[in-house]
């Protein structure tokens, strides 16, 4: 494939919207972008002089295209050092992609530079691969070899695909419990995982890792404070990504990620967080966005510019499924109330209208369906979700109807609860058109051990007849997609505050493309 066609693939994934630049004072911007930058030293250090294993945070892959996938790692021999235990110099990192786990058939190889400006993270956009193929990859720095990762490219958008299997996960507060769910998820034989937000939390972590009560953890006192600076956010990612189960989840398959609020701070909206001055908060947001990019398998197109980052993007999996990844945090605005912003909403509707895929999946952070929390009139609603932005929701639903979009499936995180919802054109009229379905996945660990049901969830089922299932256990959701229907299996764990939890399928639903709506299996 030519370089031109490879570049076209990236352009299709990343929308060409005009970047927003927000005004931040010169001093604030220097703080946001200048922390630990190299002081003009571009000389490359000798990787052979590394004294200990630098691959303590594992490897990851993501954002698969038909002939390319992003490969990630970071050199950090000391995870609790703000600098990762690395000198303030560039380091050469070699990489390989092979068709076999023993690397007997290496098909792509090269070297990348780990820059101190990005805390020696490495983002390799490995190109020239074949569509819909399994690959294995690894890195080398000096005499140290990284763990081996498995990844997979997307099928060509024009290819007729008969089936695909993907999963969703979200919300993994480190102090709330272990990441046992990933031990089971890696056995699910998925093509791709959609991670829907809250990768880290700004919550304090004590020396034993909170409810993990791991006396061997020896978490430093620095994690007692919520992150604000770039170095603090980097340390939180180091703590999280050092977890062996999370590393296994990344190494097993490609991820497509988006963020929600806790990657910055709880319930922020655009450039606003409570009474914090906008200029100060945008500095914090810039730090958080920068650390996020440094620690995820994202392309250069997603590298933040100050407090702004282009995270919403689109992926095709043959002619079977198109995934539109949303960002419902960065563009929120109280006047007028919008959760997506004008540019993103137009991009979403245009993409749905132009899609030739059988299924149109929207990767979304917060509940799209109406969710009444009381039986009163007017009802209680969660205004942090789309219920706080009903005009945007109605515009999306009307656009789906007017543009005759079929196969709409929304996947959502945030709530630490499993939900299965019919998306009604008018939630006050159960006889109104069902424009699609929404599967809300619970958390990996946030909310601790959880529960099967509760009086509040039972009340919500009564108050929301379009909601067919509500469950408060931990876990993830897997999806089997064919040309005519999509099946969701809600996989749950009985506990996460101790190791070794088994997994089971709590319930399953299907929705038919020709007749959208949830049907219990």
């Amino acid at each position: 494939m030519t370089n031109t066609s490879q570049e076209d693939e990236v352009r299709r994934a990343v929308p060409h919207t005009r970047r927003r630049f927000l005004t931040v004072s010169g001093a604030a911007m220097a703080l946001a972008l200048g922390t630990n930058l190299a002081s003009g030293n571009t000389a490359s250090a000798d990787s052979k002089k590394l004294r200990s294993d630098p691959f303590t945070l594992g490897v990851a892959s993501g954002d698969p295209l038909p002939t390319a996938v992003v490969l990630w790692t970071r050199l950090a021999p000391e995870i609790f050092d703000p600098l990762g235990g690395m000198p303030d110099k560039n380091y050469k990192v070699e990489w390989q992609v092979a068709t076999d786990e023993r690397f007997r058939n290496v098909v792509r190889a090269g070297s990348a530079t780990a820059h101190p400006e990005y805390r020696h993270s490495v983002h390799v956009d490995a190109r020239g691969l074949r569509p819909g193929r399994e690959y294995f990859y690894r890195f080398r720095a000096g005499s140290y070899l990284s763990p081996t990762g498995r990844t997979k490219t997307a099928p060509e958008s024009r290819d007729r695909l008969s089936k695909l299997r993907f999963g969703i996960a979200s919300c993994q507060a480190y102090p709330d419990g272990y990441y046992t769910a990933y031990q089971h998820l890696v056995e699910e034989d998925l093509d791709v995982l959609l991670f829907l937000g809250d990768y880290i939390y700004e919550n304090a972590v004590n020396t034993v890792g909170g409810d993990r009560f791991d006396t061997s953890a020896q978490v430093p006192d620095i994690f007692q404070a919520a992150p604000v600076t770039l170095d603090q956010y980097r340390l939180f990612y180091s703590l999280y990504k050092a977890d062996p189960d999370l590393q296994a989840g990344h190494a097993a398959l490609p991820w497509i990620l988006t963020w929600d609020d806790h990657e910055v701070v709880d319930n922020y909206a655009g450039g606003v967080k409570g009474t914090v001055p906008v200029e100060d908060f945008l500095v914090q947001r810039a730090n958080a966005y920068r650390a996020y990019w440094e620690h995820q398998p994202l392309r250069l197109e997603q590298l933040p510019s100050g407090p702004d980052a282009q995270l919403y993007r689109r992926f095709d999996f043959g002619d079977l499924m198109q995934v539109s990844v949303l960002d419902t945090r960065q563009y929120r605005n109280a006047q007028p109330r919008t959760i997506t912003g004008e540019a993103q909403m137009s991009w979403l509707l245009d993409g749905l209208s132009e899609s030739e895929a059988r299924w149109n999946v929207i990767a979304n952070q917060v509940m799209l369906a109406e969710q009444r929390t009381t039986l009163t009139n007017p009802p209680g609603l969660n205004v942090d979700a789309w219920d706080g932005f009903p005009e945007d929701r109605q515009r999306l639903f009307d656009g789906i109807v007017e543009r005759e979009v079929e196969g709409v499936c929304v996947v959502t995180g945030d709530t630490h609860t499993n939900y299965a919802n019919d998306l009604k054109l008018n939630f006050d009229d159960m006889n109104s058109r069902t424009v699609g379905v929404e599967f809300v996945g619970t958390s990996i660990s946030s909310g601790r051990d959880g529960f099967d049901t509760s009086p509040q969830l039972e009340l919500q089922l009564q108050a929301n007849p379009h909601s067919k299932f509500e469950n408060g256990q931990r876990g993830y959701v897997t999806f089997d997609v064919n040309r005519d229907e999509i099946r969701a299996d809600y996989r749950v764990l009985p506990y996460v505050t101790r190791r070794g939890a088994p997994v089971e399928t709590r319930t399953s639903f299907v929705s038919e493309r020709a007749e959208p709506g949830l049907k219990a299996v």
Side-chain angles (χ1 to χ4, degrees), residues 74-86 119 238:
R74 180 188 161 204
L75 307 183
E78 299 178 23
I79 64 171
F80 293 142
D81 180 346
L83 305 184
M86 294 290 292
R119 279 287 56 87
S238 295

Side-chain angles (χ1 to χ4, degrees), residues 351-460:
L352 292 173
S353 179
E354 296 166 4
S355 172
E356 297 180 0
R358 297 286 293 177
W359 292 95
N360 291 286
V361 174
I362 300 174
N364 167 61
Q365 291 86 353
V366 294
M367 182 92 77
L368 178 59
E370 184 176 86
Q371 188 62 206
R372 302 183 178 192
T373 59
T374 68
L375 295 172
T376 60
N377 189 15
L381 298 170
N382 177 13
V383 296
D384 185 57
W386 286 73
D387 273 339
F389 307 87
E391 296 85 1
D392 269 4
R393 179 170 60 200
Q394 198 60 50
R395 181 179 174 187
L396 173 58
F397 287 3
D398 289 343
I400 290 171
V401 173
E402 293 166 2
R403 300 171 190 228
E404 300 180 344
V405 181
E406 296 184 286
V408 174
C409 172
V410 179
V411 292
T412 301
D414 179 58
T415 65
H416 314 164
T417 306
N418 286 312
Y419 292 89
N421 303 317
D422 284 338
L423 298 176
K424 308 299 291 186
L425 187 60
N426 179 359
F427 286 107
D428 291 327
D429 180 7
M430 284 301 293
N431 293 318
S432 69
R433 178 171 173 173
T434 300
V435 300
V437 291
E438 180 182 30
F439 299 101
V440 182
T442 187
S443 64
I444 292 292
S445 61
S446 304
R448 301 173 177 84
D449 288 338
F451 45 84
D452 182 61
T453 189
S454 69
Q456 178 60 34
L457 291 183
E458 294 294 337
L459 182 151
Q460 289 175 194

Side-chain angles (χ1 to χ4, degrees), residues 208-508:
V208 294
D211 282 359
R212 294 182 174 212
F213 203 72
D214 180 2
T215 55
S216 67
Q218 298 181 333
V219 179
D221 289 341
I222 190 173
F223 292 96
Q224 297 287 337
V228 176
T229 69
L230 180 54
D231 280 347
Q232 287 175 319
Y233 279 110
R234 285 167 168 166
L235 282 169
F236 269 74
Y237 279 101
S238 295
L239 173 64
Y240 277 59
K241 293 184 81 72
D243 182 277
D245 294 330
L246 179 56
Q247 287 191 20
H250 273 297
L253 76 165
W255 289 34
I256 296 174
L257 298 104
T258 188
W259 53 38
D260 192 23
D261 52 347
H262 287 286
E263 288 87 352
V264 182
V265 65
D266 186 30
N267 287 346
Y268 84 92
V272 177
K273 175 55 184 176
T275 59
V276 178
V278 172
E279 285 187 351
D280 292 343
F281 179 70
L282 289 179
V283 172
Q284 181 179 352
R285 197 178 85 175
N287 292 331
Y289 283 8
R290 171 74 165 265
Y292 182 86
W293 182 85
E294 288 177 349
H295 290 86
Q296 304 297 6
L298 296 168
R299 287 189 167 82
L300 187 62
E301 287 80 3
Q302 276 65 61
L303 175 64
S305 176
D308 295 328
Q310 180 66 69
L311 198 63
Y312 65 86
R313 58 210 192 280
R314 185 171 287 121
F315 299 91
D316 293 312
F317 292 85
D319 71 339
L320 183 62
M321 185 174 82
Q322 183 177 90
V323 179
S324 297
V325 182
L326 300 189
D327 175 358
T328 60
R329 282 292 164 189
Q330 186 176 178
Y331 309 102
R332 291 184 183 211
N333 195 320
Q335 295 295 330
R337 291 191 65 79
T338 177
I339 194 171
T340 63
E342 176 60 32
Q344 184 176 196
M345 178 61 78
S346 296
W347 167 85
L348 175 58
L349 290 173
D350 289 345
L352 292 173
S353 179
E354 296 166 4
S355 172
E356 297 180 0
R358 297 286 293 177
W359 292 95
N360 291 286
V361 174
I362 300 174
N364 167 61
Q365 291 86 353
V366 294
M367 182 92 77
L368 178 59
E370 184 176 86
Q371 188 62 206
R372 302 183 178 192
T373 59
T374 68
L375 295 172
T376 60
N377 189 15
L381 298 170
N382 177 13
V383 296
D384 185 57
W386 286 73
D387 273 339
F389 307 87
E391 296 85 1
D392 269 4
R393 179 170 60 200
Q394 198 60 50
R395 181 179 174 187
L396 173 58
F397 287 3
D398 289 343
I400 290 171
V401 173
E402 293 166 2
R403 300 171 190 228
E404 300 180 344
V405 181
E406 296 184 286
V408 174
C409 172
V410 179
V411 292
T412 301
D414 179 58
T415 65
H416 314 164
T417 306
N418 286 312
Y419 292 89
N421 303 317
D422 284 338
L423 298 176
K424 308 299 291 186
L425 187 60
N426 179 359
F427 286 107
D428 291 327
D429 180 7
M430 284 301 293
N431 293 318
S432 69
R433 178 171 173 173
T434 300
V435 300
V437 291
E438 180 182 30
F439 299 101
V440 182
T442 187
S443 64
I444 292 292
S445 61
S446 304
R448 301 173 177 84
D449 288 338
F451 45 84
D452 182 61
T453 189
S454 69
Q456 178 60 34
L457 291 183
E458 294 294 337
L459 182 151
Q460 289 175 194
L461 281 171
Q462 183 181 354
N464 300 278
H466 56 276
S467 188
K468 308 302 181 183
F469 174 63
E470 301 188 7
N471 161 270
Q473 292 173 283
R474 308 284 73 84
Y476 54 92
V477 188
T478 62
F479 297 84
D480 287 282
V481 187
N482 64 37
R483 300 191 70 80
D484 298 317
E485 70 176 25
I486 187 167
R487 171 180 172 137
D489 293 309
Y490 287 82
R491 306 279 280 161
V492 300
L493 284 69
Y495 52 84
V496 294
T497 55
R498 62 186 191 276
R499 301 181 189 273
V503 69
E504 66 174 358
T505 299
R506 175 62 178 78
T507 195
S508 303

